[in-house]
Amino acid sequence: MLYLTRRAGEAVIINNAIEVRVVELKGRTVKLGFSFPPEASVLREEVFLQIKQANEQAAADPMALQPKPDDEGHAP
């Protein structure tokens, strides 16, 4: 893991395309601003982990992805 020290207003550039800028420091909270290309995916860590867990569960149980039959035995 790379650790950097930045002050408010300073930024880092990743792959010549993604800018992460320190917008505000308030107590123990840091507000970051991001500029990135539209094809980049940016998620909060907790959302990323939820998606990852759901994908792993679906891969482990492919039948979970199949539509459930209704009361008459027909698939929706």
Side-chain angles (χ1 to χ4, degrees):
M1 182 172 293
L2 172 66
Y3 292 90
L4 298 172
T5 302
R6 301 278 72 204
R7 293 184 173 91
E10 295 180 338
V12 296
I13 308 298
I14 302 167
N15 285 339
N16 296 320
I18 300 170
E19 176 185 304
V20 181
R21 183 171 300 276
V22 178
V23 176
E24 180 181 350
L25 300 168
K26 189 182 245 182
R28 294 177 53 180
T29 302
V30 177
K31 185 183 286 187
L32 300 173
F34 297 85
S35 297
F36 50 89
E39 66 273 6
S41 173
V42 178
L43 299 170
R44 294 187 327 263
E45 180 182 33
E46 61 273 18
V47 173
F48 170 79
L49 293 174
Q50 287 174 351
I51 293 169
K52 180 179 173 188
Q53 181 183 18
N55 287 341
E56 288 170 351
Q57 287 175 349
D61 184 10
M63 292 305 293
L65 297 176
Q66 299 299 319
K68 305 282 190 268
D70 61 18
D71 291 338
E72 297 175 8
H74 300 96

